[in-house]
Structure formats: structure tokens, C-alpha cells
Amino acid sequence: MGWEFSTEPEFQEKLNWIDAFVRDEVEPIDLLWGGKAFHPLDDTLRKIVDPLKQEVHDRGLWACHLGPELGGQGFGQVKLSLMNEILGRSGWAPIVFGTQAPDTGNAEIIAHYGTEEQKERYLQPLLNGEVFSCYSMTEPQAGSDPQQFTCRAERDGDEWIINGWKFFSSNARTASFLIVMVVTNPDVSIYQGASMFLVPTDTPGVIMERHIGLGGERPDEGMHALIHYDNVRVPADALLGGEGQAFAIAQTRLGGGRVHHAMRTVATCQRALDLMCERVLSRETQGSVLAKKQFIQGDIADSYAELMQFRLFVLYTAWEIDQFKDYRRTRKNIAAIKALTPKVVHDGVWRSMHAHGALGVSNEMPFAGMWMSAPIMSVVDGPTEVHKVTVAREVLKDYRPAEGLWPTAHLPAQRELAEKRLAAWIEHTVGNA
Ligand SMILES: Cc1cc2nc3c(=O)[nH]c(=O)nc-3n(C[C@H](O)[C@H](O)[C@H](O)COP(=O)(O)OP(=O)(O)OC[C@H]3O[C@@H](n4cnc5c(N)ncnc54)[C@H](O)[C@@H]3O)c2cc1C
């Protein structure tokens, strides 16, 4: 039997340490400096955060998404998922552990496709946690349909000149470099005609028009840039991977990242359930604690069951990635968990928030931030609909149309077939009756 749902004791010990460390050392930073995670450390924060990063290093838990050749542990996706389930409770924890998106995915693709010079210049500082990076793909007029991308790079001698606009480029504000996806050959499909470039943020012509915020953030808090690439000149060796390879590269970056997003969502849902259970055991109304009301019990059962289903599906997908070592073979399940993520967090957070009544919708509980992750998760890395289309396409690959007019399960035809198969036996039984 190959089914196994337990965690090796040595790794469980690491998880226990991470759990306590995040709760005791990192979550307090979230409470006091919540919106500052992607900003360069000021003197106060450096004194607090640097020793924590050092402790993570000393424990061998820094940047665990990377293989040993890059200073990580080569843990694989199941272990990373279990770690992300803890780190997902906190905005600062991924920074303290060197696993923050989009830097993780960006580091992965530079490690995979970068030249030695690119690795030294961009990857090493990223791995050391010295700089932030940005992945700049979405455009103002097109996100989920790359065929409408127009941001263009044209060759000019030993240089490329980039012109166009990018939208929602996360962390561009504090990033030291951008990975920009642009059209390099408009005469072929975008999937063969797009390339990626490494562009230092201070390159002349990189104009940050504004930094867009999420939900209720103040205008000056925004971290998602609208960028005008205005005659941005980069040398030929700024190309990442080969010309026309952008989509192949992008696929490498998103597979693991989606699993980690999903596991961080498990953390959010578990927190919502924990808060709900505590509240319904504490709050009395109309003669009993809320926990005695059947509507509430139904909500607890739904939240628990949905969370367990989702968690196991995410871990199973992580396991598949570890087994196959080929994101294409597990594309169906990666897309399926991506499509499920916003719904699970939407329903789980809603029930918990609602069980807290007015307090739940107030700014004295953490639900508003948790709640925003539902609409965010439904568009970030592509909208739910697009992932559902992928799931359906992959599922349908295992099926064929029925031959003839009737479905293969059409009962009259099935019965006829069964009678034919069993004709000899029926004749024998009837003959001997
Ligand atoms: C928090 C956050 C961070 C982000 N960070 C980055 C980043 O760092 N870099 C980057 O490049 N981008 C980033 N994005 C952008 C993200 O990748 C896009 O939002 C996403 O690809 C969707 O594109 P869009 O917003 O243009 O929506 P659109 O493509 O305009 O889609 C809008 C809606 O149309 C519907 N729709 C779209 N396609 C279909 C379809 N095939 N069938 C049915 N309905 C459909 C869906 O309801 C969808 O939500 C980020 C987004 C968010 C929210």
C-alpha cells in the first residue's frame, strides 16, 4: 500500500519550530508594521528582522523553495506546502524565510534560464534577501488574454528597445529589477513571439506612472505599478532564456507558486475556522451559546469539511509535482486548486466573520484583510474561469465521443450487450430449470 498521510518526525519538528517562531516572533511584526513587508528595511525594522532572518538561516530553513545548489534545501513541493501553511498566517513570514512571491518564482526562472552573469547580478542578491524583484506581464488592456499584449521590444544593433505599458506589476515600487514580458516577434503567435527581459528599475525610460493599491488601501500605500516603458534600452544580454521563450519560462514560474498560494489560503481558512469556533463557544444568545445553534453547527461542519477537502487536494497536487517533476503532467490539478482557492476562502471567511456579528465586520478583527483574499485569489495569476477551462480541457482529454446516436450508458443497448455476453449461461440455466 502506498497511501501515506503522515509527516516524517524530523520534518514535523521543523514545522513545530516554524509554527512557534512565526507566532511568537513574526506575527507581532505584522501587527505593528503590516504594510511594510515589501519595503526596504529602515533602521528600526532592520534591527528586528535581520536577526530573525539569521535564525532562519541558522536552522537551514532559508529560501527552501530552492535546490541545494542555490543554497536551499531541495525540500520538494509537499514539504514546501506544509511550510507555506504556516507562513501563510503572516504577511512578514515569507520575507523572514526568503520565500515571498513574486521573488520566489523570479528566482526560480533566473536560476533555470539565466546566464552566469545574470545569476550573479540578479539572482544572488535576491537569494540573499538583499533586494526585491517584480514580474511585469499584465497590460492595462489585457491580462488573461496574452494575445492582446502589445508591449514590444525591437532589436537595435546590440540593444533592444522596449516600448509599451504594463499594469499591476507588484512591488515594482521597491524592486531593484523587473522581469518584463514583451512581444519580440509580432508575426507569429504570442506563445512563440514573446520574450522576457531583465530590466533594472532605474533604467532610463522606466516610468512608474502610479502605484495602485488594493481594496481599502490609501492611495499612497499602493504596491501594484502602472509602468510606462518609454524607449527603454537594454543590452542584448538582458534577454532571459531564448527569444520567443517567454511562455515556456512563465509556466516554470507559476506551477509551484500556485500550490503555495493555495496552501497559504489553507492557513487563512484554518484561522477563520479557529476564530469562529472560539467565538461560538464564547457568545451567548437566546438561551444558549452560539455553538448550540444548528445553523452555526452546519457552518462549522461545512467550513471544516471544505477545508479538509481543499487541503488534501493541494497536498496531493504538491505530491504529484514531486513525483512527476513535470508541471505539464500535473497542470489539471494545479488549475483545479487555483480555481477552488477563492471559493474556499470566500466561504470560510464569510461564515467566521458572520458568526462574529458586528465585531466581525469591524476594523477590530482581522477579517477584512482575510476577506479581500477571495477576490484577489480569483484574478491573481489568471482568473478562475481561465483555470476552469484548463481543467475541463485536461479532463476531456481522457474521453472520446460515443459511437453512434446513443450514449454508451444507454440502458437498452447495455442490456442487449449483457444478454449477448451471458447468452450461453442464460440458455444453460433456463435449459436446466
Ligand atoms: C493582487 C494582484 C497582484 C498581481 N500581480 C501581478 C504582477 O506582479 N505582475 C503581473 O503581470 N500581473 C499581476 N496581476 C495581474 C493579474 O495577473 C491579472 O489581473 C489577471 O491575469 C487577470 O487579468 P485582468 O485583470 O486584465 O482581467 P481580465 O483579463 O480583463 O478578466 C476580467 C474578468 O473577465 C472574465 N474572464 C476573463 N477571461 C475569461 C474567459 N476565458 N472565460 C470567461 N470569463 C473570462 C473573468 O471573470 C475575469 O475576472 C496581479 C493581480 C492582482 C489582483
Side-chain angles (χ1 to χ4, degrees):
M1 269 305 286
W3 292 90
E4 171 61 88
F5 294 92
S6 60
T7 310
E8 309 159 2
E10 309 88 75
F11 193 70
Q12 187 58 53
E13 266 177 41
K14 290 189 201 304
L15 292 175
N16 293 347
W17 181 83
I18 296 169
D19 186 44
F21 180 76
V22 168
R23 189 184 53 246
D24 299 340
E25 310 289 344
V26 188
E27 287 177 0
I29 307 178
D30 288 317
L31 288 169
L32 299 183
W33 293 280
K36 290 262 177 251
F38 284 95
H39 288 262
L41 297 173
D42 60 23
D43 289 345
T44 313
L45 273 169
R46 187 169 290 286
K47 281 193 195 113
I48 302 170
V49 174
D50 278 354
L52 298 181
K53 284 184 177 177
Q54 190 55 52
E55 215 171 328
V56 170
H57 268 289
D58 295 345
R59 292 243 162 203
L61 292 170
W62 177 258
C64 283
H65 57 291
L66 298 168
E69 69 289 357
L70 292 170
Q73 295 291 326
F75 273 162
Q77 294 298 334
V78 171
K79 286 181 174 169
L80 284 175
S81 297
L82 291 168
M83 276 182 73
N84 271 298
E85 185 178 15
I86 302 171
L87 303 186
R89 296 203 307 256
S90 153
W92 271 91
I95 302 277
V96 171
F97 282 76
T99 57
Q100 72 279 7
D103 297 331
T104 43
N106 291 345
E108 254 181 277
I109 59 176
I110 303 173
H112 212 272
Y113 295 94
T115 61
E116 286 314 311
E117 292 75 43
Q118 288 171 340
K119 286 182 195 168
E120 196 176 320
R121 179 166 178 194
Y122 298 106
L123 181 61
Q124 214 45 56
L126 206 53
L127 300 185
N128 296 343
E130 290 162 12
V131 301
F132 295 115
S133 64
C134 166
Y135 184 70
S136 192
M137 174 174 166
T138 304
E139 301 192 1
Q141 79 291 353
S144 53
D145 181 9
Q147 296 172 97
Q148 295 186 51
F149 287 174
T150 56
C151 188
R152 179 96 161 81
E154 284 172 286
R155 189 82 192 229
D156 182 28
D158 283 347
E159 292 183 322
W160 289 89
I161 308 173
I162 304 172
N163 273 298
W165 291 79
K166 292 286 175 183
F167 184 53
F168 248 81
S169 294
S170 300
N171 304 341
R173 181 174 204 156
T174 53
S176 63
F177 68 94
L178 312 143
I179 300 182
V180 195
M181 184 190 280
V182 292
V183 179
T184 43
N185 182 356
D187 299 329
V188 296
S189 147
I190 183 83
Y191 299 103
Q192 276 81 48
S195 308
M196 284 197 195
F197 288 91
L198 288 154
V199 180
T201 320
D202 58 5
T203 308
V206 174
I207 301 164
M208 309 268 175
E209 288 285 334
R210 60 178 193 273
H211 299 283
I212 298 135
L214 298 172
E217 284 175 352
R218 290 196 320 260
D220 61 335
E221 290 175 333
M223 289 299 285
H224 309 279
L226 173 64
I227 307 179
H228 185 192
Y229 292 86
D230 187 12
N231 277 316
V232 176
R233 280 184 175 270
V234 289
D237 63 9
L239 185 68
L240 178 64
E243 222 179 299
Q245 273 202 346
F247 279 88
I249 299 175
Q251 215 46 46
T252 314
R253 129 176 238 294
L254 289 176
R258 285 179 184 147
V259 176
H260 304 160
H261 268 319
M263 250 354 233
R264 288 191 282 266
T265 298
V266 168
T268 307
C269 293
Q270 182 64 55
R271 179 143 196 246
L273 180 61
D274 293 345
L275 296 178
M276 176 157 75
C277 290
E278 183 197 77
R279 180 66 173 177
V280 301
L281 286 169
S282 318
R283 182 78 166 176
E284 268 197 45
T285 183
Q286 295 185 352
S288 72
V289 286
L290 285 174
K292 298 268 186 208
K293 315 284 182 200
Q294 285 189 336
F295 274 112
I296 296 284
Q297 290 167 356
D299 277 353
I300 290 172
D302 287 344
S303 285
Y304 175 74
E306 287 165 17
L307 172 58
M308 285 300 283
Q309 269 182 329
F310 183 61
R311 182 175 188 267
L312 288 174
F313 193 3
V314 179
L315 287 171
Y316 174 74
T317 305
W319 175 85
E320 270 195 345
I321 297 173
D322 287 346
Q323 294 294 308
F324 301 149
K325 307 213 178 338
D326 177 0
Y327 284 121
R328 279 166 306 182
R329 279 186 69 188
T330 183
R331 180 181 288 159
K332 176 173 59 183
N333 286 340
I334 292 176
I337 57 172
K338 172 69 179 69
L340 276 176
T341 302
K343 169 128 182 62
V344 177
V345 72
H346 172 280
D347 293 356
V349 173
W350 170 266
R351 291 186 195 108
S352 186
M353 192 185 215
H354 189 57
H356 283 74
L359 186 63
V361 300
S362 76
N363 61 1
E364 297 191 352
M365 291 300 286
F367 292 113
M370 295 158 80
W371 176 242
M372 263 309 281
S373 70
I376 289 173
M377 285 300 158
S378 70
V379 287
V380 72
D381 288 347
T384 303
E385 290 87 340
V386 170
H387 292 286
K388 285 189 176 175
V389 169
T390 303
V391 175
R393 194 182 55 228
E394 294 294 315
V395 168
L396 287 170
K397 280 182 185 167
D398 293 334
Y399 295 86
R400 296 284 164 270
E403 284 171 18
L405 178 60
W406 306 108
T408 49
H410 192 226
L411 290 174
Q414 291 273 306
R415 263 188 229 109
E416 203 182 311
L417 211 63
E419 275 166 10
K420 267 190 206 148
R421 274 210 189 115
L422 298 174
W425 187 85
I426 293 169
E427 203 173 303
H428 174 80
T429 314
V430 174
N432 290 311

